[in-house]
Each structure stands twice: as structure tokens, then as C-alpha cells.
Amino acid sequence: MEIHTLTYFKKVAELQHITRAAEELRVAQPSLSRTIAGLEAELGVRLFQRSGKNIRLNRSGELVLLHTNRILRELQELREDLAAEQGEERRTVTISLYAASKLLPQLVTAFKAEYPSIRLQIIQQDLSKGEEDWDISIFSSIQPHGGENEVVLIEEELLLALPEESPLARRGSLDLREVARMEFICLHKGKSLRTITDMYCQMAGFEPSVILECDSPEMVRELICAGMGISFVPSITWRGMDTSSIVLCPLSFPSCKRYINLGWRRDGRLSPAAVLFRDFVRDYFAGLAAGG
């Protein structure tokens, strides 16, 4: 039984006239008659009582019409639900955030102020996930990324944060090798910034002695103030962190920096909403790099 058969049956039942039903459905009358006869044969019952050109539903026909109306109504509701879901998907942007999470509240607030109808879904995960899981990715690296679907958003210096009473805090710059024996407060293993700073420590010839792992910039600052250790601090994406009682010192060796990169789905599979967010992120980070 096909949907168009039920649609034809419903129209004939409503008009109780084959010719007028055929005209409204814009099908040939013999074709419509064959469709109704086929439905009766399939169900094994007569659906109409015929009287010349006029027909009317019998009791079996009334029962079939009741179910037909229900089936067609549910089908229409299904179409509407699917259309609404697709519309929601087109208005939703999924972002894989693997760097610069401290900036997320400001970035999202600024974006939603301009595009309140666009829904953002944030996932924090590594980049081993495929593009089918996200539209936009923000991630960091020790080398700049670039390609068909990747751009560098900013290059930022990594500073060393020390308690202000430390003798090293009065220096204009430091060689990372000078702090090889000091204790570090770092992000958890697996975080991209932690991976990058561990690599710079290796370049300086040592493995950092990590006394505490913490992912909160505010907590890192408090621990440094308490004399628990020292830490790496990104100069741009952690901008705005309270630096009272600590000193941010540049590193002369190695040249410690990282790149914040933007990636997006390949092959033009971005929705208009995702394109808006991608371009907004570019402009937002351009403002950060310019000191805004």
C-alpha cells in the first residue's frame, strides 16, 4: 500500500465522486478508478457503495478513512518534525575547543550579541576525532598550521610566571635552563599547552618537576603567589589574568611561543551559521592580536 493510494482514497471519500476527485487530483479518471479497485483488492473488502456516478463510503470504507486520516496526519507531522530538526541543525555550530578556553565566555557572548538565533555546541576533546563530530576546531600547536581548511589565528609568546619576591623576578628575561631545578605548576597531561611547554623544557635539556597539575588560570596564579611553584602563561589568551603579586618574565632561550589555529570542515560542507562563526572567530582573534 502506497501513500499516494491513501491520498487518492481520501479525496474520493471526501467528494464521493470519482470524476470530481480525478479533476482535483489531476489524474485520469480510469487511473483513479483502478487505484481504488486495487486498494479494495489489497484489503479484501469493498469500500464504497456505488449508485450511478455517485459513491459513498460503506462501514469498511469509514474505518479505512479513519486510519487513513491518522496515517496521513502522522506523516505530515513527521515531515514537519524533520524540517524543524534540519532547520535546527543548520542553526547549530559544533566547536571542538582544544585551546584558548579562557577566552570562550567573552567570545561566545560577543558572537551571540550579533547572532542570537545561532546555537553553539562546545565539545572539548582531542583532534583525533573526525570532522563529522565538529564544524569548527580551535587548537594550538608549536608550529603554525595552514592549508585549505586551516589558518593561524594568533602567534603568542609563552611567559614564565614567578612570585614577585623571587630573585629571578627582577630579571628582564630568563633562560629556561635557569629554572630547570624549580618546581612547576602545569596543566594536566594531554592538554595541548602542557604538551607544548613540556617540549620547550626538553629543548632546554630537562624534564619539568611538576608539583601540581591545575587547569584553572586563576588557581595557577594563587598557587604561584603562595610560593608553590612557577608556571608558563600564554601572553594573549590568558590576558586579563590578575598579575598582582606575580611577575611575567619573557624567555630568551628557547624562544617559547605557540600558535592558536582555526580548522573547519573540508569540501565546502559548512552551514551558513558555521561560516558566520568561523569568520567571527577570525576577526575576534585579529582584534586580540592587535591588542583589543
Side-chain angles (χ1 to χ4, degrees):
M1 187 182 303
E2 298 181 357
I3 295 300
H4 85 273
T5 300
L6 295 179
T7 303
Y8 287 4
F9 164 73
K10 176 178 169 64
K11 180 60 67 175
V12 173
E14 290 173 346
L15 297 179
Q16 299 188 69
H17 200 284
I18 288 285
T19 302
R20 289 203 300 271
E23 290 172 352
E24 290 201 14
L25 292 168
R26 296 183 180 180
V27 297
Q29 179 178 330
S31 175
L32 179 58
S33 297
R34 285 194 297 271
T35 299
I36 298 301
L39 178 61
E40 290 178 324
E42 184 176 355
L43 296 175
V45 294
R46 290 277 186 177
L47 302 176
F48 295 95
Q49 291 180 350
R50 291 162 174 82
S51 176
K53 293 184 178 180
N54 295 319
I55 59 175
R56 63 183 179 86
L57 289 173
N58 59 24
R59 293 188 63 180
S60 296
E62 290 173 352
L63 182 60
V64 172
L65 180 61
L66 178 67
H67 286 275
T68 295
N69 287 335
R70 184 182 304 159
I71 291 168
L72 294 178
R73 183 171 57 250
E74 291 184 356
L75 180 60
Q76 180 60 30
E77 290 174 357
L78 173 61
R79 292 191 180 110
E80 291 172 358
D81 288 346
L82 290 174
E85 182 182 12
Q86 289 173 355
E88 182 67 23
E89 287 179 356
R90 286 193 293 269
R91 291 192 300 272
T92 300
V93 183
T94 302
I95 304 126
S96 172
L97 188 69
Y98 201 50
S101 58
K102 188 175 186 296
L103 295 176
L104 184 63
Q106 304 98 297
L107 190 156
V108 168
T109 299
F111 180 79
K112 292 291 286 182
E114 289 195 30
Y115 305 102
S117 65
I118 295 178
R119 177 175 175 264
L120 301 179
Q121 179 180 2
I122 312 295
I123 53 177
Q124 292 183 289
Q125 60 185 22
D126 61 40
L127 295 176
S128 64
K129 298 290 186 181
E131 287 180 9
E132 66 276 5
D133 296 314
W134 48 262
D135 301 301
I136 302 291
S137 65
I138 300 174
F139 61 99
S140 65
S141 62
I142 200 168
Q143 296 293 335
H145 278 235
E148 183 182 353
N149 68 315
E150 291 179 342
V151 295
V152 174
L153 292 170
I154 55 169
E155 173 189 335
E156 68 175 340
E157 186 178 7
L158 300 179
L159 307 172
L160 200 64
L162 306 144
E164 62 179 2
E165 64 269 15
S166 170
L168 295 176
R170 294 187 289 272
R171 300 270 295 277
S173 65
L174 288 173
D175 186 313
L176 190 56
R177 291 171 291 192
E178 296 180 79
V179 298
R181 295 183 180 276
M182 298 183 70
E183 293 177 326
F184 281 78
I185 302 164
C186 295
L187 301 184
H188 288 96
K189 281 280 190 183
K191 297 289 186 178
S192 60
L193 179 58
R194 170 68 182 277
T195 301
I196 290 169
T197 56
D198 281 355
M199 291 175 67
Y200 281 126
C201 289
Q202 291 169 13
M203 290 181 192
F206 70 94
E207 188 79 20
S209 175
V210 179
I211 191 171
L212 194 144
E213 293 181 330
C214 177
D215 290 344
S216 166
E218 291 75 20
M219 182 62 71
V220 168
R221 176 200 170 279
E222 293 299 322
L223 292 169
I224 295 170
C225 291
M228 294 292 294
I230 62 176
S231 183
F232 290 96
V233 169
S235 60
I236 297 177
T237 53
W238 283 26
R239 185 185 293 160
M241 184 178 83
D242 182 4
T243 56
S244 58
S245 303
I246 66 173
V247 173
L248 301 179
C249 189
L251 290 160
S252 59
F253 177 84
S255 177
C256 294
K257 57 187 176 183
R258 71 168 178 170
Y259 297 88
I260 305 296
N261 309 287
L262 174 69
W264 59 90
R265 287 178 182 267
R266 294 182 177 89
D267 302 328
R269 293 187 291 118
L270 280 183
S271 67
V275 170
L276 285 173
F277 185 76
R278 179 195 64 187
D279 295 344
F280 185 90
V281 170
R282 280 174 161 172
D283 294 341
Y284 187 88
F285 275 86
L288 287 177

